[in-house]
Amino acid sequence: MAASTPTNGVHIAWLSFAQRVRFAGMNLRDRVAQNIQELRRASGLSQEELAHRADVSRGHMCKVENARFAASLDLLERIAKALNVDPEEFFTKR
């Protein structure tokens, strides 16, 4: 008999959020990409400058902003710090 894993409230909240995003017609990767791009532009930064501040290549940043690459949580934290925003801003419906 396999041991059951206790339910993690954060995991359930995350799944609920991801499900709401999908039902809104946009997947989570697309929303994050769009928000990063909008926040970067609002900050007056080029993609190259944001990539430099987040310690990632410009090509990699391009893939994140165009939803061709799913950014890790670590990368999202670095991007948020480079943009001087809370990482939660990446998941906000605009």
Side-chain angles (χ1 to χ4, degrees), residues 50-64:
L50 176 58
H52 174 72
R53 291 181 182 192
D55 194 30
V56 64
S57 72
R58 194 210 51 83
H60 195 79
M61 184 60 68
C62 179
K63 288 178 184 177
V64 170

Side-chain angles (χ1 to χ4, degrees), residues 2-92:
S4 62
T5 305
T7 305
N8 181 330
V10 172
H11 180 71
I12 291 171
W14 175 255
L15 287 177
S16 174
F17 173 77
Q19 201 169 34
R20 284 188 312 240
V21 170
R22 270 193 303 270
F23 289 140
M26 180 181 286
N27 71 37
L28 190 55
R29 185 187 302 180
D30 290 336
R31 176 167 293 169
V32 169
Q34 180 181 355
N35 286 339
I36 289 173
Q37 191 174 84
E38 287 178 11
L39 290 163
R40 174 183 59 77
R41 288 178 176 162
S43 296
L45 295 175
S46 67
Q47 198 175 66
E48 187 171 355
E49 179 61 25
L50 176 58
H52 174 72
R53 291 181 182 192
D55 194 30
V56 64
S57 72
R58 194 210 51 83
H60 195 79
M61 184 60 68
C62 179
K63 288 178 184 177
V64 170
E65 283 193 4
N66 290 297
R68 291 190 313 243
F69 179 80
S72 69
L73 293 175
D74 292 338
L75 178 54
L76 290 177
E77 283 181 332
R78 292 195 323 262
I79 294 170
K81 185 176 179 182
L83 290 169
N84 199 29
V85 299
D86 189 296
E88 185 176 304
E89 291 294 315
F90 299 152
F91 305 100
T92 302

